[in-house]
Amino acid sequence: MPYRRLPNTDQARIRALKAVVVKGDICNVYDLAVSLKALTDARNFLTKFEAAQAYYADCFERQARAGRKHQANVKTARLYISHFIQVLNLAVIRSEVRIAHKEYYGLDTSNNNVPDLSTEPALAEWGRKIVDGENKRISQGGIPIYNPTIAKVRVHYDIFMDSYEKQKNLQFLTARSLDTLASMRAEADELILHIWNQVEKKFEEVTPNEKRLDLCRDYGIIYYYRTGEKRKE
C-alpha cells in the first residue's frame, strides 16, 4: 500500500501548494475536494512563501557571487601583509630596524615568526596593526620598509576590508532571510497536511485504489511505494 509523505524541501512545499491553487483555478467550486477557506489560505500563503524563498535565493546568490571576488582580495591582502612582516623581520635581523620597534606593530620581539593570518578577523586585526605600526615608526624618523611599501600594503588591506565588511553584511542578510523562510515552514506543513487530509477524505470511497490515488495526486499529494510494491499502469 503506497504511503504519502509531506514535502521536505521548500521547492516541494511550493509545488504542493501550487497544485492545490491551480486545481482551484480550473475546477468548479462545487467540485473542489478542499474547502474555500483552505484554498484561500493556500493561495495567500503561497504568495508569501514564494516571495520569501525567492528573496533567500537572491541573497544567497549575491553572497556567493561577492564571495568569489572577496576570496581573491583575502589572498592578496594576506600575501602583502605576510610579506611586509617578513621584510620587517629581516630588517631587524640586519639591525636596520630596532628590535624594540616591533612592539609598534604588536609583534613578538622574542622571535621572527609571522602571526597566524589564516582567518579573516586575524587578517583584519594584523593589517591594521601593521599599517599603524609602520606609520608610527616612520613618524619618529624610522626608515620606511620597501618592497612592499606600507602604501602598497594599505591599498590591498583597504580593498580587503571593504569587501570583508560587504561580505559580512551579505552573510547577515542571507542568514536573516533564511530564518524568515524557516519560520514559515511549520505553517506550510500544517496547511499542506490539512489540505491533503481533506482531499483524501473526499475521495476515500473511490475505487479502484489507483483511481483514488490519481485523483489525490491531482491535488499535489505525493505517494511513495514501499520496496517490492509496484504502481499499476
Side-chain angles (χ1 to χ4, degrees):
M1 186 71 177
Y3 64 96
R4 72 183 192 190
R5 187 168 63 202
L6 283 173
N8 56 9
T9 68
D10 294 326
Q11 287 295 341
R13 291 180 177 96
I14 289 173
R15 286 194 298 270
L17 291 169
K18 272 188 175 180
V20 177
V21 171
V22 169
K23 198 69 175 175
D25 290 338
I26 63 177
C27 282
N28 186 296
V29 65
Y30 299 106
D31 296 330
L32 278 176
V34 297
S35 66
L36 284 177
K37 182 181 184 307
L39 178 61
T40 301
D41 289 345
R43 184 176 283 115
N44 292 339
F45 182 81
L46 177 61
T47 300
K48 295 186 294 183
F49 194 63
E50 277 191 301
Q53 199 278 334
Y55 180 61
Y56 165 69
D58 180 63
C59 287
F60 184 84
E61 173 59 27
R62 282 189 289 142
Q63 178 190 326
R65 189 166 56 246
R68 290 188 287 271
K69 184 177 180 180
H70 173 61
Q71 287 307 311
N73 295 335
V74 170
K75 183 178 180 180
T76 302
R78 182 179 290 122
L79 178 67
Y80 272 86
I81 293 170
S82 174
H83 191 190
F84 184 92
I85 294 172
Q86 293 176 60
V87 173
L88 174 64
N89 283 332
L90 288 173
V92 170
I93 292 172
R94 294 193 299 265
S95 299
E96 296 171 359
V97 174
R98 293 175 56 187
I99 190 170
H101 286 176
K102 290 180 66 175
E103 295 179 354
Y104 295 165
Y105 307 84
L107 294 168
D108 192 342
T109 58
S110 65
N111 62 62
N112 293 318
N113 297 334
V114 175
D116 182 10
L117 303 175
S118 60
T119 67
E120 292 180 21
L123 196 59
E125 177 187 357
W126 280 106
R128 176 180 50 78
K129 287 181 177 180
I130 294 305
V131 170
D132 291 347
E134 178 70 353
N135 288 335
K136 181 177 180 180
R137 190 179 64 82
I138 292 174
S139 70
Q140 295 181 1
I143 299 174
I145 296 294
Y146 290 97
N147 196 26
T149 63
I150 198 60
K152 192 79 170 178
V153 174
R154 179 65 183 267
V155 167
H156 292 291
Y157 174 69
D158 286 347
I159 291 173
F160 156 71
M161 286 302 298
D162 182 56
S163 66
Y164 177 53
E165 293 300 327
K166 287 181 179 178
Q167 191 67 6
K168 286 199 297 183
N169 289 336
L170 289 172
Q171 289 170 350
F172 172 77
L173 290 175
T174 300
R176 188 175 65 179
S177 64
L178 179 58
D179 287 343
T180 299
L181 184 61
S183 70
M184 301 174 72
R185 288 170 182 159
E187 184 179 353
D189 292 343
E190 182 180 351
L191 183 56
I192 292 169
L193 178 61
H194 179 59
I195 289 170
W196 285 9
N197 286 341
Q198 286 190 23
V199 171
E200 289 195 328
K201 181 67 176 177
K202 173 75 173 181
F203 300 124
E204 63 182 350
E205 296 182 1
V206 173
T207 56
N209 189 54
E210 277 301 318
K211 181 179 179 181
R212 180 182 67 83
L213 294 179
D214 285 340
L215 289 171
C216 292
R217 288 188 182 102
D218 286 343
Y219 283 84
I221 300 180
I222 304 296
Y223 290 102
Y224 296 87
Y225 288 83
R226 294 177 176 83
T227 303
E229 287 185 331
K230 186 177 181 181
R231 178 177 177 175
K232 295 180 180 179
E233 300 297 334

